[in-house]
Amino acid sequence: MPMLKKTTLALATTLAGLTLAAQTQANEVEVLHWWTSGGEARAANVLKELMEAEGYGWKDFAVAGGGGETAMTVLKSRAMSGNPPSAAQIKGPEIQEWGELGLLGSLNDVAEAEGWDALLPDVVADVMQYDGEYVAVPVNVHRVNWLWANPEVLDDAGVEMPTTLDELFEAGDAIREAGYIPLAHGGQAWQDATIFESVVIGSQGGEFYQRALVDLDPEALGGEQMVDALEEFKRLRELMDDGMSGRDWNIATGMVIDGEAAMQLMGDWAKGEFTARGLTAGEDYLCAPAPGTEDVFAFNIDSLAMFRVSDEDEQEAQQALARLVLEPTFQETFNLAKGSIPARPDLDMSEFDSCAQQSLSDFQRTAEEGGLVPSMAHGMAVRADIQGAIFDVVTNYFNDEDMQAEEAAERLVNAAEAASF
């Protein structure tokens, strides 16, 4: 049973006979989100100002805390009491779970008026819909499968940016000999999973990744290709330092910035650390798709889902909010601050750096040609309970010298099957 359903098992009876209208004033939206860091908060404030400029009220409901776990706890509590906010930052399969509970409102009218079907890639549009209706609007797109590097360290070691896993290991030897850490990493389960999915894509391709870590095909999860990917994944430990256990991702990024390490495999939010130091993409630091993944774009999308409300004025405000989220002003402002790219691929990218421009180009290409896939490691591919079970297998295998890849592959199959019930 999905984790969300477990925590809201009593929801149907609790909400019986209650109106689902949030306790907001007419023409006002209450928005629950976790964009609380400096740049994110400023960007979210732009959306508030755009709403107010059109005569709508904005009641900010910001809940600090990393990937939004605290915010989701608060949201479930509010929903259980029959008083959900107008809109909430929800992403990936959790949108479907809230939809199954009958709590999300339709955005089909604004989607049709604004041409969302033509504007959004099919893969992205599908995530925003439940039962054929738009119930959420995408705020941005993060690319997860990035490799970041310090060009001075690469030059000193006499190597170039690796484009395959074999090249990565070869470069790692030269970098180590030159006195640097080849690959900065933070030994946390989600970071291990981030690297793991890039290795699966880089060694076995996007179609296999889709079958294994999105569709959860047991033959793919437990087969020879997964065993090969797991072995490549564990080899990466040779490129890392002994002090990685428990290290935060931004500390690892700092090791690349400071020239202590050569490279880091991390999503495009890492770019914010380089930008904060006043560094220029393509000059002071380099970015490239994770080795072997140039034809695949593993995405993580932030989105706002709209809750079902009965007040017509509030419904109108929700529709306005959804429309403004996808308009160029907010898309550009928010994503320049976040390090991500706009959710709509048709915008002028002249204000964005070279990494973001490459990201959007690859986003457009993979959306058209295939290769645009949801990130398992970042909550876009599978339910939270399945993701957690996969995390456990991946990080235990990565940190256990004795566990063989065959055993880990078998555990992946068991994890997916056990969590499916």
Side-chain angles (χ1 to χ4, degrees):
M1 181 181 291
M3 189 170 295
L4 178 57
K5 289 183 180 176
K6 289 178 182 177
T7 58
T8 58
L9 194 58
L11 196 55
T13 53
T14 304
L15 295 179
L18 292 175
T19 65
L20 296 182
Q23 301 302 307
T24 56
Q25 299 172 7
N27 275 22
E28 180 181 66
V29 286
E30 182 184 24
V31 184
L32 184 149
H33 62 86
W34 58 90
W35 295 311
T36 54
S37 71
E40 291 176 346
R42 286 192 296 273
N45 195 56
V46 170
L47 189 56
K48 175 184 176 182
E49 291 172 354
L50 290 171
M51 285 288 288
E52 291 174 343
E54 293 199 5
Y56 297 102
W58 171 289
K59 186 176 180 181
D60 199 60
F61 190 2
V63 181
E69 293 83 2
T70 306
M72 287 302 95
T73 300
V74 173
L75 178 60
K76 290 167 189 174
S77 175
R78 285 282 301 270
M80 289 277 288
S81 67
N83 181 33
S86 313
Q89 186 182 351
I90 306 173
K91 63 184 216 178
E94 283 203 340
I95 293 173
Q96 306 302 311
E97 294 185 38
W98 284 104
E100 288 171 12
L101 292 169
L103 296 182
L104 299 184
S106 174
L107 293 174
N108 270 8
D109 288 348
V110 67
E112 185 175 345
E114 298 296 315
W116 287 8
D117 283 346
L119 204 58
L120 300 174
D122 290 344
V123 176
V124 176
D126 288 347
V127 176
M128 300 300 126
Q129 296 180 57
Y130 171 71
D131 198 23
E133 288 196 84
Y134 282 98
V135 293
V137 57
V139 173
N140 62 354
V141 176
H142 283 292
R143 188 179 195 171
V144 176
N145 54 315
W146 273 119
L147 178 69
W148 307 92
N150 184 316
E152 292 184 0
V153 174
L154 297 187
D155 287 346
D156 195 36
V159 299
E160 297 182 352
M161 279 287 272
T163 59
T164 67
L165 285 167
D166 286 342
E167 289 179 6
L168 177 64
F169 288 115
E170 290 173 10
D173 292 338
I175 292 166
R176 182 80 73 186
E177 289 177 9
Y180 304 98
I181 299 166
L183 195 63
H185 181 56
Q188 298 170 340
W190 73 268
Q191 294 189 62
D192 293 342
T194 298
I195 289 184
F196 170 64
E197 73 177 21
S198 285
V199 171
V200 171
I201 295 169
S203 64
Q204 308 302 321
E207 289 185 8
F208 175 80
Y209 167 84
Q210 175 76 33
R211 281 198 294 124
L213 294 178
V214 181
D215 300 336
L216 302 176
D217 177 352
E219 291 186 7
L221 278 172
E224 290 184 10
Q225 283 183 269
M226 182 57 74
V227 170
D228 291 344
L230 284 161
E231 289 175 344
E232 290 284 271
F233 171 56
K234 186 171 274 189
R235 275 188 69 195
L236 288 178
R237 288 188 66 89
E238 302 168 10
L239 307 181
M240 301 170 183
D241 66 302
D242 293 334
M244 67 182 181
S245 179
R247 178 186 292 146
D248 288 333
W249 68 269
N250 56 311
I251 303 300
T253 308
M255 293 167 63
V256 177
I257 294 172
D258 295 334
E260 184 180 346
M263 298 173 285
Q264 181 188 21
L265 285 162
M266 185 52 62
D268 55 18
W269 48 90
K271 189 172 61 175
E273 298 299 305
F274 293 97
T275 302
R277 298 277 197 103
L279 304 180
T280 301
E283 298 177 11
D284 303 315
Y285 65 97
L286 306 177
C287 62
T293 73
E294 64 274 4
D295 292 327
V296 178
F297 190 114
F299 66 81
N300 175 26
I301 299 175
D302 289 317
S303 52
L304 286 178
M306 303 297 164
F307 279 81
R308 182 160 55 88
V309 298
S310 59
D311 184 271
E312 291 185 4
D313 287 337
E314 191 178 351
Q315 290 174 6
E316 180 188 325
Q318 285 180 323
Q319 302 284 318
L321 175 64
R323 170 175 53 80
L324 288 167
V325 164
L326 268 183
E327 287 190 349
T329 300
F330 177 70
Q331 285 283 315
E332 292 173 5
T333 303
F334 185 86
N335 288 291
L336 282 168
K338 192 81 161 58
S340 45
I341 60 171
R344 49 185 291 177
D346 63 330
L347 296 184
D348 175 17
M349 293 291 286
S350 59
E351 294 298 315
F352 288 77
D353 61 45
S354 59
C355 295
Q357 291 175 8
Q358 180 185 348
S359 186
L360 187 71
S361 175
D362 289 347
F363 178 55
Q364 292 170 316
R365 177 171 55 85
T366 55
E368 294 168 1
E369 300 175 0
L372 188 60
V373 298
S375 167
M376 178 281 298
H378 293 272
M380 297 304 302
V382 298
R383 296 194 320 258
D385 55 337
I386 297 175
Q387 181 197 50
I390 292 174
F391 275 21
D392 287 345
V393 174
V394 167
T395 199
N396 288 338
Y397 166 72
F398 194 56
N399 292 288
D400 185 342
E401 294 181 4
D402 298 325
M403 190 188 300
Q404 299 300 303
E406 290 81 3
E407 180 183 348
E410 184 178 341
R411 289 189 182 188
L412 285 174
V413 175
N414 294 338
E417 288 180 347
S420 296
F421 292 101

